[in-house]
Amino acid sequence: MIEHLIPVLAGTLAAATPLIFAGLGELVAERTGVINLGVEGMMLIGAVAGFAAAAHSDGGALAGLPAGAVAGMLAALIFAVLSLSMAANQAACGLALTIFGIGLSAFIGQHYVSYSLPGLPPLDIPGLADIPVIGRIFFHQDAVTYLGLVTFAGVWWVLKKTRLGLVLKAVGEAPDAAHAIGYPVIAIRYGATLFGGAMAGIAGAYLSTVYTPLWVQNMVAGRGWIAIALVVFAAWNPTRLLLGAWLFGGVTILQFHAQGLGIALPVQFLAALPYLATVVVLVLISRDKRLLQLNLPASLGKPWMP
């Protein structure tokens, strides 16, 4: 049984990596009062940009990830101009960005349908990868999986331990008060939104250049929506978001190992599990209204102009 569980748990970390990147980016943006429902679109744009950069350079995934980040930031900039500078409805702008990302990635990606990339080999950490069971699960991963954990640690530290984290929270809770004491609310929201775009772009590029290093239309397959749901599930807490990403990653990877684990369920049901889990989690978390009210940024989704 252990031998069957090891690849499931190891695969969970990799499957959770795009959710960690995209979820952390959305969490930071929402902390400042900006809700961007275009995460799915930004991930798709990052995926096709990262794949194109990797396919046309010798750097492979190492070239694809920065390209994905830049593409995601450019997509987020469009959203920011409309929703922050022009005070357009944030939900509508986010949905439009997702639709735009689906169409743009399909148009550009049609030229790469027959391409495949070498991906990234697992990076064994000396001395730790040889530890029985634990070493094969945690210390035999690709470099981007480790980068996702480092990014989580950095975001957690900034939000919990630094002045910048307090400023981000102040802008999300009381933008008028933050503006009154001299903080550039719109500029801070721009920065948080662009950070979210970069993280979503990296998540998409990871999917297309490392996780499944080939191009498939609409390959993000709803992970952007799951990342948004994760932020609510986490009650805007980075630690809970990491645990939630591992949970959803485990549900996602379970469908590929179900037969080996002796789980006799229809393939279609197993494929739908991540999305069913998203609905169940949102229903459960919505029942705890006190938790949501205590952590929900007061100005989330509300346009603000100086």
Side-chain angles (χ1 to χ4, degrees):
M1 187 65 176
I2 293 296
E3 287 302 314
H4 288 301
L5 281 176
I6 288 175
V8 173
L9 296 175
T12 293
L13 297 183
T17 296
L19 298 177
I20 292 172
F21 278 114
L24 287 174
E26 179 66 10
L27 186 148
V28 170
E30 291 193 14
R31 276 292 187 96
T32 66
V34 179
I35 180 168
N36 186 352
L37 299 182
V39 176
E40 181 88 0
M42 293 187 297
M43 287 180 70
L44 281 166
I45 292 172
V48 72
F51 192 90
H56 293 290
S57 70
D58 297 329
L62 297 180
L65 293 174
V70 171
M73 288 180 68
L74 291 175
L77 180 61
I78 297 173
F79 169 86
V81 170
L82 293 173
S83 63
L84 300 181
S85 296
M86 299 182 180
N89 183 277
Q90 293 181 12
C93 291
L95 292 174
L97 180 56
T98 289
I99 296 171
F100 172 71
I102 293 172
L104 181 64
S105 63
F107 175 72
I108 297 175
Q110 64 182 330
H111 304 293
Y112 299 101
V113 172
S114 61
Y115 278 64
S116 63
L117 299 174
L120 282 180
L123 182 63
D124 290 333
I125 299 180
L128 297 177
D130 297 328
I131 299 175
V133 182
I134 294 178
R136 293 167 60 187
I137 295 173
F138 291 100
F139 305 113
H140 186 69
Q141 301 287 343
D142 61 77
V144 187
T145 298
Y146 298 125
L147 178 61
L149 298 178
V150 172
T151 302
F152 155 75
V155 169
W156 179 89
W157 182 76
V158 168
L159 293 180
K160 298 290 185 180
K161 301 293 183 180
T162 68
R163 179 185 179 88
L164 176 58
L166 292 175
V167 171
L168 294 175
K169 184 175 182 179
V171 168
E173 293 292 340
D176 289 325
H179 176 71
I181 60 178
Y183 288 114
V185 173
I186 295 297
I188 291 171
R189 287 185 169 182
Y190 257 91
T193 301
L194 293 180
F195 174 78
M199 291 295 99
I202 291 174
Y206 173 79
L207 286 170
S208 64
T209 63
V210 180
Y211 190 66
T212 53
L214 51 85
W215 177 253
V216 178
Q217 184 175 334
N218 201 24
M219 66 186 306
V220 174
R223 289 179 177 88
W225 299 110
I226 293 177
I228 296 172
L230 270 177
V231 177
V232 180
F233 164 77
W236 296 270
N237 182 300
T239 303
R240 285 174 59 113
L241 187 141
L242 177 68
L243 297 176
W246 284 343
L247 170 64
F248 282 102
V251 173
T252 301
I253 207 69
L254 183 62
Q255 59 182 296
F256 302 112
H257 297 272
Q259 290 184 343
L261 293 171
I263 301 175
L265 289 173
V267 174
Q268 295 82 355
F269 177 78
L270 292 172
L273 271 180
Y275 312 102
L276 292 175
T278 302
V279 173
V280 171
V281 164
L282 287 177
V283 169
L284 292 177
I285 197 68
S286 65
R287 294 170 62 89
D288 193 345
K289 299 186 182 301
R290 181 174 176 274
L291 177 65
L292 293 178
Q293 290 173 352
L294 286 175
N295 294 281
L296 176 70
S299 67
L300 183 63
K302 300 176 182 177
W304 184 88
M305 296 294 287

